[in-house]
Amino acid sequence: MTSPISTNRHGDILIVTSNNPPVNALGAAVRQGLVAAIKEAEGDDAIKAVVITCAGQTYFAGADITEFGKPPVMPWLPEVVDRIESCSKPVVAAVHGTALGGGLEIALGCHYRVALPTAKFGVPEVKLGLLPGAGGTQRLPRVAGVPKALEMVTSGGMIGAKEAAALGLVDRLIEGDLVEHAVAYAEEVRAIRPLPKSSERDDKLAEARANPAIFDDFRKANARKMKGFEAPELNIQAVEAAVAKPYAEGVLDERRLFMQLMSGSQARAQQYFFFAERKAAKIDNIPDDTRPRDIKRVGVIGAGTMGGGISMNFLSAGIPVTIVEMAQDALDRGTGTVRKNYEATAAKGRMTPEQVEQAMGALNPTLDFNALADCDLIIEAVFETMEIKQEIFGKLDKIAKPGAILASNTSYLNIDEIAAATSRPQDVVGLHFFSPANIMKLLEVVRGANTAPDVLVTAMQLAKRIKKVAVVAGVCHGFIGNRMLMPRQVEATKLLLEGATPDQIDRVHVEFGMPMGPFQMADLAGVDIGWHRDPTRIENIRDALAAEGRWGQKKNAGFYDYDEKRRPSPSARVQEIIDEFRAKEGVEKRDISDQEIVERTLYTMVNEGAKILEEGMAQRASDIDVVWIYGYGWPVYRGGPMHWADGEGLDKIVAGLRNQEARMGSDFSFSQLLLDKAASGGKFTR
Ligand code: 3H9
């Protein structure tokens, strides 16, 4: 097998090139090749300096994640980085694309770093439940400073080359041919001794030592973001060690903390999720050579919250949008909101005023439905009523150009029935965005019975262009995400009658790691959503709340009372309503344990997920996890409901559901797939 590492000489400079597509991950062969290349440079007196560069789209994107959990193959990455740093000749990293994780650690091991202005740098290990374990937690603070290192190791975010240069992480920005200039740079520095080694620097650590509160201040400022996660805290501890101890000791702390994380369940879940997210883009049963359709202009019907948010995704990606409304005031309101959102982003410094104008300039607001005729994709985002949707699709059928994709943003309705209102069901697809649509990363792509393969391929590709993560769902009520929400909601509401409080149920969910519980979510979304609007017709607790105008946060009253700062507190009135209903329905009040809440509101979701899988409404269990993590904030460190269930043990899930079966009554039935897997010791995701 040929090595992914090749060397060639340019005068007295050895150019070491990695060619390990797609992202130059630092697998065993790359590591071995790098060590051999350094040996080659050391062994040849004619070589005066080394340049390490990568072919393809990017510099090393980090350790090869597919090797995690397998028997280690030597040399391991920390050794490779140390070997580069201890080379007796100067080594220059020539960076393009993204230098991530172990890739940045390699660059930090080099004595110098040059980069294209488009290059990016980051240590995303924390997103995999890890820390930069090849000396990164020790070298990065020495080179970039402790505050920046803390931010980078705990967020996993990237910084651009210009910022990296300002920090001293990059020695020179290169305009033009990277390798040619890197070689010239190597010529410039070839005679400088002693060689600058990141591990030996102390100036920036001394700055941090002068401010001993830096770590606890950072912990306090970021407590909310880091809640529930193990890796950020251990990253902080490793940087603390860099400041408090000599390099040789700090690196031992780093190793210990790395191993601690690597053997934990959070790292397993987060690494599983890395691949789950990428697998979601792959569509089963589609010919490999299916070409996507060309999308140059998008039409959006409805300028409400959803329509406006959906439009922003395309505008931000540079795709012009025609947005259609029925009345001028609604159109103006919608366009105004889009502008306001962009201006808020600009005020935070995340967009320039020119970019705001550019995006707004690509928006064509109109009352003329016929203006959609030149759109390549038209997304309907109006009321959730089948008649209205069918009427719109009937109209679209007459005006949309041949080959245009006709999409509905419905959250529940049957795409096939909507498609039946057209003469081209092959062009119809569901594109279910999540609110707020300009922010939430999830997109459910609903595959109708007749949806053409190239329509699906286009949807998946477009999702990537607008920075969404798309998951294919089949046609069923609520698709993947909302369908699983239903048993949770039904059981949560019944638990109120049986004796639990909204506060208790929400607390169990928040302690589990969800951003909010079912009743906090109802208050945020609006208790009146889906309400029949007849205050005299009170059939359940939700009807009673809605009839009294307790519509949630927007009315300062819902399942909770809210003060002027929208802080919730348990509501005596809601408790009265619950008590009245309990009496009316003859339900006996009892103490509800937290475990029962888990079994009836989380285990039931797993059961519904299993039904979705067995009916073929999701392509794979990991897709369900992607939906719940990106659509509903399921804690990524638990890997999504199906991965979590596997970790709990499916036999335990089944036993828990059996405990509750009688109480759940006809609202519940077992998924055969869940029963079978539990009986055979199987798993959903492994
Ligand atoms: C680490 O470095 C630990 C060390 O500190 C210490 C060790 C002791 N390994 O994302 P894409 C695959 S931890 C293996 O669609 P893009 C990916 O699965 C590592 N495979 O492309 C996909 O495969 P497929 C820290 C990897 O252009 C294909 O490459 N580094 C790896 O949208 C394309 O990926 C990270 O966490 C990998 N490291 O984005 C960086 N990375 O085609 C993770 C990617 O079969 N990577 N693949 O589905 C990324 O963030 C993005 O891939 C990147 C490119 C931005 C590079």
Side-chain angles (χ1 to χ4, degrees), residues 22-23 25 57 61-65 68 77 98 100-102 105 124-125 128 131-134 258 274-275 278 282 464:
V23 296
Q57 61 164 354
D64 185 338
I65 307 169
F68 290 175
L77 199 52
T98 44
L100 297 179
E105 294 176 286
E125 282 86 342
L128 300 169
L131 52 75
F258 181 84
F274 176 86
F275 291 110
R278 283 158 178 82
K282 303 191 168 60
K464 196 157 184 185

PDB file of all heavy atoms in Angstrom, residues 22-23 25 57 61-65 68 77 98 100-102 105 124-125 128 131-134 258 274-275 278 282 464, ligand 1:
ATOM      1  N   PRO A  22     -10.988  12.088   2.516  1.00  0.00           N
ATOM      2  CA  PRO A  22     -11.432  13.398   2.048  1.00  0.00           C
ATOM      3  C   PRO A  22     -10.894  14.581   2.860  1.00  0.00           C
ATOM      4  O   PRO A  22     -10.887  15.693   2.363  1.00  0.00           O
ATOM      5  CB  PRO A  22     -12.959  13.318   2.210  1.00  0.00           C
ATOM      6  CG  PRO A  22     -13.174  12.344   3.337  1.00  0.00           C
ATOM      7  CD  PRO A  22     -12.044  11.371   3.271  1.00  0.00           C
ATOM      8  N   VAL A  23     -10.432  14.338   4.114  1.00  0.00           N
ATOM      9  CA  VAL A  23     -10.120  15.507   4.957  1.00  0.00           C
ATOM     10  C   VAL A  23      -8.731  15.420   5.591  1.00  0.00           C
ATOM     11  O   VAL A  23      -8.438  16.130   6.535  1.00  0.00           O
ATOM     12  CB  VAL A  23     -11.206  15.712   6.058  1.00  0.00           C
ATOM     13  CG1 VAL A  23     -12.554  16.036   5.446  1.00  0.00           C
ATOM     14  CG2 VAL A  23     -11.287  14.516   6.998  1.00  0.00           C
ATOM     15  N   ALA A  25      -7.494  13.160   7.484  1.00  0.00           N
ATOM     16  CA  ALA A  25      -7.528  12.713   8.886  1.00  0.00           C
ATOM     17  C   ALA A  25      -6.209  12.012   9.195  1.00  0.00           C
ATOM     18  O   ALA A  25      -5.592  11.386   8.326  1.00  0.00           O
ATOM     19  CB  ALA A  25      -8.700  11.773   9.105  1.00  0.00           C
ATOM     20  N   GLN A  57      -8.787  19.276  -0.201  1.00  0.00           N
ATOM     21  CA  GLN A  57      -9.562  20.440   0.247  1.00  0.00           C
ATOM     22  C   GLN A  57      -9.113  21.043   1.576  1.00  0.00           C
ATOM     23  O   GLN A  57      -9.484  22.155   1.903  1.00  0.00           O
ATOM     24  CB  GLN A  57     -11.051  20.078   0.326  1.00  0.00           C
ATOM     25  CG  GLN A  57     -11.343  18.945   1.312  1.00  0.00           C
ATOM     26  CD  GLN A  57     -12.810  18.836   1.698  1.00  0.00           C
ATOM     27  OE1 GLN A  57     -13.613  19.662   1.319  1.00  0.00           O
ATOM     28  NE2 GLN A  57     -13.148  17.808   2.462  1.00  0.00           N
ATOM     29  N   ALA A  61      -7.667  17.441   9.268  1.00  0.00           N
ATOM     30  CA  ALA A  61      -8.890  17.780  10.015  1.00  0.00           C
ATOM     31  C   ALA A  61      -8.941  17.096  11.372  1.00  0.00           C
ATOM     32  O   ALA A  61      -9.981  17.077  12.020  1.00  0.00           O
ATOM     33  CB  ALA A  61     -10.122  17.418   9.198  1.00  0.00           C
ATOM     34  N   GLY A  62      -7.828  16.525  11.800  1.00  0.00           N
ATOM     35  CA  GLY A  62      -7.788  15.937  13.138  1.00  0.00           C
ATOM     36  C   GLY A  62      -7.497  14.453  13.114  1.00  0.00           C
ATOM     37  O   GLY A  62      -7.264  13.856  12.045  1.00  0.00           O
ATOM     38  N   ALA A  63      -7.496  13.861  14.302  1.00  0.00           N
ATOM     39  CA  ALA A  63      -7.315  12.413  14.413  1.00  0.00           C
ATOM     40  C   ALA A  63      -8.388  11.723  13.581  1.00  0.00           C
ATOM     41  O   ALA A  63      -9.448  12.294  13.316  1.00  0.00           O
ATOM     42  CB  ALA A  63      -7.451  11.999  15.878  1.00  0.00           C
ATOM     43  N   ASP A  64      -8.108  10.485  13.167  1.00  0.00           N
ATOM     44  CA  ASP A  64      -9.108   9.732  12.406  1.00  0.00           C
ATOM     45  C   ASP A  64     -10.126   9.161  13.398  1.00  0.00           C
ATOM     46  O   ASP A  64      -9.815   8.227  14.149  1.00  0.00           O
ATOM     47  CB  ASP A  64      -8.408   8.611  11.628  1.00  0.00           C
ATOM     48  CG  ASP A  64      -9.387   7.885  10.723  1.00  0.00           C
ATOM     49  OD1 ASP A  64     -10.611   7.956  10.994  1.00  0.00           O
ATOM     50  OD2 ASP A  64      -8.937   7.242   9.760  1.00  0.00           O
ATOM     51  N   ILE A  65     -11.322   9.730  13.383  1.00  0.00           N
ATOM     52  CA  ILE A  65     -12.316   9.364  14.402  1.00  0.00           C
ATOM     53  C   ILE A  65     -12.757   7.902  14.253  1.00  0.00           C
ATOM     54  O   ILE A  65     -13.174   7.282  15.224  1.00  0.00           O
ATOM     55  CB  ILE A  65     -13.522  10.330  14.338  1.00  0.00           C
ATOM     56  CG1 ILE A  65     -13.034  11.778  14.425  1.00  0.00           C
ATOM     57  CG2 ILE A  65     -14.524  10.065  15.463  1.00  0.00           C
ATOM     58  CD1 ILE A  65     -14.101  12.818  14.100  1.00  0.00           C
ATOM     59  N   PHE A  68     -11.139   5.502  16.704  1.00  0.00           N
ATOM     60  CA  PHE A  68     -11.429   5.540  18.141  1.00  0.00           C
ATOM     61  C   PHE A  68     -12.130   4.244  18.551  1.00  0.00           C
ATOM     62  O   PHE A  68     -13.021   3.758  17.861  1.00  0.00           O
ATOM     63  CB  PHE A  68     -12.318   6.741  18.501  1.00  0.00           C
ATOM     64  CG  PHE A  68     -11.621   8.085  18.379  1.00  0.00           C
ATOM     65  CD1 PHE A  68     -12.327   9.263  18.564  1.00  0.00           C
ATOM     66  CD2 PHE A  68     -10.266   8.171  18.096  1.00  0.00           C
ATOM     67  CE1 PHE A  68     -11.704  10.506  18.457  1.00  0.00           C
ATOM     68  CE2 PHE A  68      -9.624   9.402  17.978  1.00  0.00           C
ATOM     69  CZ  PHE A  68     -10.345  10.564  18.162  1.00  0.00           C
ATOM     70  N   LEU A  77      -0.670   9.949  18.105  1.00  0.00           N
ATOM     71  CA  LEU A  77      -0.543  11.334  17.664  1.00  0.00           C
ATOM     72  C   LEU A  77       0.345  12.218  18.556  1.00  0.00           C
ATOM     73  O   LEU A  77       1.174  12.978  18.026  1.00  0.00           O
ATOM     74  CB  LEU A  77      -1.943  11.932  17.496  1.00  0.00           C
ATOM     75  CG  LEU A  77      -2.037  13.179  16.637  1.00  0.00           C
ATOM     76  CD1 LEU A  77      -1.397  13.015  15.273  1.00  0.00           C
ATOM     77  CD2 LEU A  77      -3.499  13.580  16.478  1.00  0.00           C
ATOM     78  N   THR A  98      -9.056  23.718   6.721  1.00  0.00           N
ATOM     79  CA  THR A  98      -9.260  23.761   8.166  1.00  0.00           C
ATOM     80  C   THR A  98      -8.193  22.930   8.873  1.00  0.00           C
ATOM     81  O   THR A  98      -8.037  21.748   8.576  1.00  0.00           O
ATOM     82  CB  THR A  98     -10.653  23.200   8.525  1.00  0.00           C
ATOM     83  OG1 THR A  98     -10.862  22.010   7.754  1.00  0.00           O
ATOM     84  CG2 THR A  98     -11.755  24.187   8.209  1.00  0.00           C
ATOM     85  N   LEU A 100      -7.794  21.329  12.093  1.00  0.00           N
ATOM     86  CA  LEU A 100      -8.687  21.056  13.222  1.00  0.00           C
ATOM     87  C   LEU A 100      -8.119  19.977  14.135  1.00  0.00           C
ATOM     88  O   LEU A 100      -7.508  19.015  13.669  1.00  0.00           O
ATOM     89  CB  LEU A 100     -10.051  20.597  12.713  1.00  0.00           C
ATOM     90  CG  LEU A 100     -10.846  21.620  11.883  1.00  0.00           C
ATOM     91  CD1 LEU A 100     -12.175  21.023  11.428  1.00  0.00           C
ATOM     92  CD2 LEU A 100     -11.088  22.891  12.679  1.00  0.00           C
ATOM     93  N   GLY A 101      -8.388  20.134  15.418  1.00  0.00           N
ATOM     94  CA  GLY A 101      -8.027  19.108  16.389  1.00  0.00           C
ATOM     95  C   GLY A 101      -6.566  18.727  16.260  1.00  0.00           C
ATOM     96  O   GLY A 101      -5.665  19.584  16.273  1.00  0.00           O
ATOM     97  N   GLY A 102      -6.326  17.410  16.049  1.00  0.00           N
ATOM     98  CA  GLY A 102      -4.957  16.934  15.873  1.00  0.00           C
ATOM     99  C   GLY A 102      -4.240  17.680  14.757  1.00  0.00           C
ATOM    100  O   GLY A 102      -3.010  17.794  14.775  1.00  0.00           O
ATOM    101  N   GLU A 105      -2.915  20.631  16.251  1.00  0.00           N
ATOM    102  CA  GLU A 105      -1.839  20.207  17.167  1.00  0.00           C
ATOM    103  C   GLU A 105      -0.549  19.918  16.391  1.00  0.00           C
ATOM    104  O   GLU A 105       0.548  20.232  16.860  1.00  0.00           O
ATOM    105  CB  GLU A 105      -2.309  19.000  17.986  1.00  0.00           C
ATOM    106  CG  GLU A 105      -3.464  19.394  18.917  1.00  0.00           C
ATOM    107  CD  GLU A 105      -4.043  18.223  19.675  1.00  0.00           C
ATOM    108  OE1 GLU A 105      -4.752  17.416  19.046  1.00  0.00           O
ATOM    109  OE2 GLU A 105      -3.787  18.096  20.878  1.00  0.00           O
ATOM    110  N   PRO A 124     -12.053  21.109  17.738  1.00  0.00           N
ATOM    111  CA  PRO A 124     -13.439  20.696  17.965  1.00  0.00           C
ATOM    112  C   PRO A 124     -13.597  19.460  18.829  1.00  0.00           C
ATOM    113  O   PRO A 124     -14.697  18.923  18.948  1.00  0.00           O
ATOM    114  CB  PRO A 124     -13.950  20.429  16.538  1.00  0.00           C
ATOM    115  CG  PRO A 124     -12.737  20.121  15.741  1.00  0.00           C
ATOM    116  CD  PRO A 124     -11.569  20.760  16.404  1.00  0.00           C
ATOM    117  N   GLU A 125     -12.526  19.006  19.476  1.00  0.00           N
ATOM    118  CA  GLU A 125     -12.611  17.766  20.260  1.00  0.00           C
ATOM    119  C   GLU A 125     -13.753  17.791  21.260  1.00  0.00           C
ATOM    120  O   GLU A 125     -14.393  16.779  21.524  1.00  0.00           O
ATOM    121  CB  GLU A 125     -11.285  17.513  21.002  1.00  0.00           C
ATOM    122  CG  GLU A 125     -10.164  16.955  20.136  1.00  0.00           C
ATOM    123  CD  GLU A 125      -9.365  18.041  19.417  1.00  0.00           C
ATOM    124  OE1 GLU A 125      -9.864  19.176  19.296  1.00  0.00           O
ATOM    125  OE2 GLU A 125      -8.253  17.738  18.966  1.00  0.00           O
ATOM    126  N   LEU A 128     -16.771  16.193  20.379  1.00  0.00           N
ATOM    127  CA  LEU A 128     -16.737  14.729  20.365  1.00  0.00           C
ATOM    128  C   LEU A 128     -16.623  14.204  21.792  1.00  0.00           C
ATOM    129  O   LEU A 128     -16.276  13.055  22.028  1.00  0.00           O
ATOM    130  CB  LEU A 128     -15.536  14.248  19.542  1.00  0.00           C
ATOM    131  CG  LEU A 128     -15.507  14.685  18.066  1.00  0.00           C
ATOM    132  CD1 LEU A 128     -14.150  14.384  17.449  1.00  0.00           C
ATOM    133  CD2 LEU A 128     -16.610  13.993  17.282  1.00  0.00           C
ATOM    134  N   LEU A 131     -10.902  16.204  24.573  1.00  0.00           N
ATOM    135  CA  LEU A 131     -10.073  17.405  24.606  1.00  0.00           C
ATOM    136  C   LEU A 131      -8.914  17.194  23.638  1.00  0.00           C
ATOM    137  O   LEU A 131      -8.622  16.057  23.253  1.00  0.00           O
ATOM    138  CB  LEU A 131      -9.597  17.703  26.036  1.00  0.00           C
ATOM    139  CG  LEU A 131      -8.904  16.620  26.853  1.00  0.00           C
ATOM    140  CD1 LEU A 131      -7.464  16.378  26.417  1.00  0.00           C
ATOM    141  CD2 LEU A 131      -8.907  17.031  28.330  1.00  0.00           C
ATOM    142  N   PRO A 132      -8.268  18.297  23.202  1.00  0.00           N
ATOM    143  CA  PRO A 132      -7.138  18.154  22.276  1.00  0.00           C
ATOM    144  C   PRO A 132      -6.003  17.429  22.974  1.00  0.00           C
ATOM    145  O   PRO A 132      -5.288  18.030  23.777  1.00  0.00           O
ATOM    146  CB  PRO A 132      -6.748  19.591  21.921  1.00  0.00           C
ATOM    147  CG  PRO A 132      -7.816  20.470  22.484  1.00  0.00           C
ATOM    148  CD  PRO A 132      -8.534  19.709  23.542  1.00  0.00           C
ATOM    149  N   GLY A 133      -5.881  16.146  22.696  1.00  0.00           N
ATOM    150  CA  GLY A 133      -5.045  15.273  23.521  1.00  0.00           C
ATOM    151  C   GLY A 133      -3.659  15.017  22.978  1.00  0.00           C
ATOM    152  O   GLY A 133      -2.965  14.128  23.448  1.00  0.00           O
ATOM    153  N   ALA A 134      -3.251  15.764  21.961  1.00  0.00           N
ATOM    154  CA  ALA A 134      -1.882  15.589  21.453  1.00  0.00           C
ATOM    155  C   ALA A 134      -1.071  16.832  21.794  1.00  0.00           C
ATOM    156  O   ALA A 134      -0.391  17.408  20.960  1.00  0.00           O
ATOM    157  CB  ALA A 134      -1.910  15.322  19.952  1.00  0.00           C
ATOM    158  N   PHE A 258      -7.777  13.161  29.070  1.00  0.00           N
ATOM    159  CA  PHE A 258      -8.219  12.666  27.760  1.00  0.00           C
ATOM    160  C   PHE A 258      -8.747  11.234  27.895  1.00  0.00           C
ATOM    161  O   PHE A 258      -9.827  10.900  27.405  1.00  0.00           O
ATOM    162  CB  PHE A 258      -7.055  12.716  26.760  1.00  0.00           C
ATOM    163  CG  PHE A 258      -7.415  12.260  25.371  1.00  0.00           C
ATOM    164  CD1 PHE A 258      -8.005  13.128  24.468  1.00  0.00           C
ATOM    165  CD2 PHE A 258      -7.169  10.950  24.961  1.00  0.00           C
ATOM    166  CE1 PHE A 258      -8.348  12.711  23.183  1.00  0.00           C
ATOM    167  CE2 PHE A 258      -7.509  10.518  23.689  1.00  0.00           C
ATOM    168  CZ  PHE A 258      -8.095  11.403  22.785  1.00  0.00           C
ATOM    169  N   PHE A 274     -21.559  12.339  15.644  1.00  0.00           N
ATOM    170  CA  PHE A 274     -20.779  12.903  14.532  1.00  0.00           C
ATOM    171  C   PHE A 274     -21.090  12.127  13.252  1.00  0.00           C
ATOM    172  O   PHE A 274     -21.362  12.702  12.200  1.00  0.00           O
ATOM    173  CB  PHE A 274     -19.284  12.832  14.863  1.00  0.00           C
ATOM    174  CG  PHE A 274     -18.384  13.304  13.747  1.00  0.00           C
ATOM    175  CD1 PHE A 274     -18.078  14.644  13.617  1.00  0.00           C
ATOM    176  CD2 PHE A 274     -17.856  12.406  12.822  1.00  0.00           C
ATOM    177  CE1 PHE A 274     -17.255  15.096  12.585  1.00  0.00           C
ATOM    178  CE2 PHE A 274     -17.036  12.846  11.792  1.00  0.00           C
ATOM    179  CZ  PHE A 274     -16.733  14.189  11.672  1.00  0.00           C
ATOM    180  N   PHE A 275     -21.069  10.809  13.347  1.00  0.00           N
ATOM    181  CA  PHE A 275     -21.315  10.001  12.151  1.00  0.00           C
ATOM    182  C   PHE A 275     -22.805   9.940  11.815  1.00  0.00           C
ATOM    183  O   PHE A 275     -23.183   9.898  10.644  1.00  0.00           O
ATOM    184  CB  PHE A 275     -20.710   8.603  12.318  1.00  0.00           C
ATOM    185  CG  PHE A 275     -19.203   8.635  12.316  1.00  0.00           C
ATOM    186  CD1 PHE A 275     -18.468   8.385  13.459  1.00  0.00           C
ATOM    187  CD2 PHE A 275     -18.509   8.983  11.163  1.00  0.00           C
ATOM    188  CE1 PHE A 275     -17.071   8.450  13.456  1.00  0.00           C
ATOM    189  CE2 PHE A 275     -17.110   9.054  11.149  1.00  0.00           C
ATOM    190  CZ  PHE A 275     -16.398   8.785  12.296  1.00  0.00           C
ATOM    191  N   ARG A 278     -23.761  12.804   9.636  1.00  0.00           N
ATOM    192  CA  ARG A 278     -23.296  12.689   8.258  1.00  0.00           C
ATOM    193  C   ARG A 278     -24.039  11.587   7.501  1.00  0.00           C
ATOM    194  O   ARG A 278     -24.291  11.706   6.313  1.00  0.00           O
ATOM    195  CB  ARG A 278     -21.785  12.477   8.239  1.00  0.00           C
ATOM    196  CG  ARG A 278     -21.097  13.811   8.506  1.00  0.00           C
ATOM    197  CD  ARG A 278     -19.701  13.721   9.020  1.00  0.00           C
ATOM    198  NE  ARG A 278     -19.164  15.076   9.190  1.00  0.00           N
ATOM    199  CZ  ARG A 278     -19.405  15.853  10.249  1.00  0.00           C
ATOM    200  NH1 ARG A 278     -20.160  15.410  11.239  1.00  0.00           N
ATOM    201  NH2 ARG A 278     -18.900  17.075  10.318  1.00  0.00           N
ATOM    202  N   LYS A 282     -27.534  10.627   3.596  1.00  0.00           N
ATOM    203  CA  LYS A 282     -27.537   9.565   2.573  1.00  0.00           C
ATOM    204  C   LYS A 282     -28.946   8.972   2.446  1.00  0.00           C
ATOM    205  O   LYS A 282     -29.570   8.618   3.428  1.00  0.00           O
ATOM    206  CB  LYS A 282     -26.506   8.496   2.935  1.00  0.00           C
ATOM    207  CG  LYS A 282     -25.119   9.149   3.079  1.00  0.00           C
ATOM    208  CD  LYS A 282     -23.987   8.167   3.182  1.00  0.00           C
ATOM    209  CE  LYS A 282     -22.623   8.830   3.023  1.00  0.00           C
ATOM    210  NZ  LYS A 282     -22.256   9.863   3.981  1.00  0.00           N
ATOM    211  N   LYS A 464     -27.725  21.320   2.695  1.00  0.00           N
ATOM    212  CA  LYS A 464     -26.321  21.569   3.044  1.00  0.00           C
ATOM    213  C   LYS A 464     -25.933  23.002   2.667  1.00  0.00           C
ATOM    214  O   LYS A 464     -25.230  23.684   3.420  1.00  0.00           O
ATOM    215  CB  LYS A 464     -25.420  20.542   2.352  1.00  0.00           C
ATOM    216  CG  LYS A 464     -24.054  20.522   2.986  1.00  0.00           C
ATOM    217  CD  LYS A 464     -23.246  19.261   2.818  1.00  0.00           C
ATOM    218  CE  LYS A 464     -21.951  19.458   3.634  1.00  0.00           C
ATOM    219  NZ  LYS A 464     -20.965  18.498   3.569  1.00  0.00           N
TER     220      LYS A 464
HETATM  221  C1  3H9 B   1      -8.744  14.697  17.517  1.00  0.00           C
HETATM  222  O1  3H9 B   1      -8.130  15.287  16.679  1.00  0.00           O
HETATM  223  C2  3H9 B   1      -8.124  14.143  18.793  1.00  0.00           C
HETATM  224  C3  3H9 B   1      -6.748  14.645  19.062  1.00  0.00           C
HETATM  225  O2  3H9 B   1      -6.771  15.907  19.646  1.00  0.00           O
HETATM  226  C4  3H9 B   1      -6.017  13.762  20.052  1.00  0.00           C
HETATM  227  C5  3H9 B   1      -5.790  12.349  19.656  1.00  0.00           C
HETATM  228  C6  3H9 B   1      -4.876  11.606  20.636  1.00  0.00           C
HETATM  229  N1  3H9 B   1     -11.918  11.356  11.019  1.00  0.00           N
HETATM  230  O3  3H9 B   1     -17.984  16.712   7.428  1.00  0.00           O
HETATM  231  P1  3H9 B   1     -17.905  16.276   6.031  1.00  0.00           P
HETATM  232  C7  3H9 B   1     -15.235  12.219   7.185  1.00  0.00           C
HETATM  233  S1  3H9 B   1     -10.400  14.398  17.335  1.00  0.00           S
HETATM  234  C8  3H9 B   1     -12.502  10.491  10.183  1.00  0.00           C
HETATM  235  O4  3H9 B   1     -19.144  15.842   5.353  1.00  0.00           O
HETATM  236  P2  3H9 B   1     -17.217  18.927   5.121  1.00  0.00           P
HETATM  237  C9  3H9 B   1     -16.735  12.350   7.390  1.00  0.00           C
HETATM  238  O5  3H9 B   1     -17.233  11.326   8.208  1.00  0.00           O
HETATM  239  C10 3H9 B   1     -10.800  15.014  15.714  1.00  0.00           C
HETATM  240  N2  3H9 B   1     -13.388  10.871   9.218  1.00  0.00           N
HETATM  241  O6  3H9 B   1     -17.145  17.350   5.092  1.00  0.00           O
HETATM  242  C11 3H9 B   1     -17.241  12.271   5.967  1.00  0.00           C
HETATM  243  O7  3H9 B   1     -17.251  10.910   5.587  1.00  0.00           O
HETATM  244  P3  3H9 B   1     -18.384  10.357   4.586  1.00  0.00           P
HETATM  245  C12 3H9 B   1     -10.997  16.481  15.739  1.00  0.00           C
HETATM  246  C13 3H9 B   1     -13.666  12.169   9.123  1.00  0.00           C
HETATM  247  O8  3H9 B   1     -16.445  19.354   3.951  1.00  0.00           O
HETATM  248  C14 3H9 B   1     -16.144  12.971   5.166  1.00  0.00           C
HETATM  249  O9  3H9 B   1     -14.985  12.947   6.004  1.00  0.00           O
HETATM  250  N3  3H9 B   1     -11.441  16.908  14.422  1.00  0.00           N
HETATM  251  C15 3H9 B   1     -13.091  13.119   9.968  1.00  0.00           C
HETATM  252  O10 3H9 B   1     -18.598  19.383   5.322  1.00  0.00           O
HETATM  253  C16 3H9 B   1     -16.477  14.408   4.826  1.00  0.00           C
HETATM  254  O11 3H9 B   1     -16.844  15.089   6.028  1.00  0.00           O
HETATM  255  C17 3H9 B   1     -12.761  17.041  14.118  1.00  0.00           C
HETATM  256  O12 3H9 B   1     -13.614  16.832  14.943  1.00  0.00           O
HETATM  257  C18 3H9 B   1     -12.180  12.684  10.951  1.00  0.00           C
HETATM  258  N4  3H9 B   1     -11.563  13.536  11.797  1.00  0.00           N
HETATM  259  O13 3H9 B   1     -16.448  19.338   6.454  1.00  0.00           O
HETATM  260  C19 3H9 B   1     -13.053  17.516  12.720  1.00  0.00           C
HETATM  261  N5  3H9 B   1     -13.575  14.337   9.642  1.00  0.00           N
HETATM  262  O14 3H9 B   1     -18.189  11.109   3.307  1.00  0.00           O
HETATM  263  C20 3H9 B   1     -14.222  16.788  12.163  1.00  0.00           C
HETATM  264  C21 3H9 B   1     -14.412  14.146   8.605  1.00  0.00           C
HETATM  265  O15 3H9 B   1     -18.076   8.889   4.514  1.00  0.00           O
HETATM  266  N6  3H9 B   1     -14.510  17.106  10.780  1.00  0.00           N
HETATM  267  N7  3H9 B   1     -14.477  12.838   8.276  1.00  0.00           N
HETATM  268  O16 3H9 B   1     -19.697  10.667   5.265  1.00  0.00           O
HETATM  269  C22 3H9 B   1     -15.159  18.231  10.399  1.00  0.00           C
HETATM  270  O17 3H9 B   1     -15.449  19.096  11.167  1.00  0.00           O
HETATM  271  C23 3H9 B   1     -15.533  18.328   8.943  1.00  0.00           C
HETATM  272  O18 3H9 B   1     -15.469  17.055   8.378  1.00  0.00           O
HETATM  273  C24 3H9 B   1     -14.668  19.290   8.075  1.00  0.00           C
HETATM  274  C25 3H9 B   1     -15.082  19.139   6.586  1.00  0.00           C
HETATM  275  C26 3H9 B   1     -14.886  20.731   8.527  1.00  0.00           C
HETATM  276  C27 3H9 B   1     -13.210  18.932   8.170  1.00  0.00           C
END
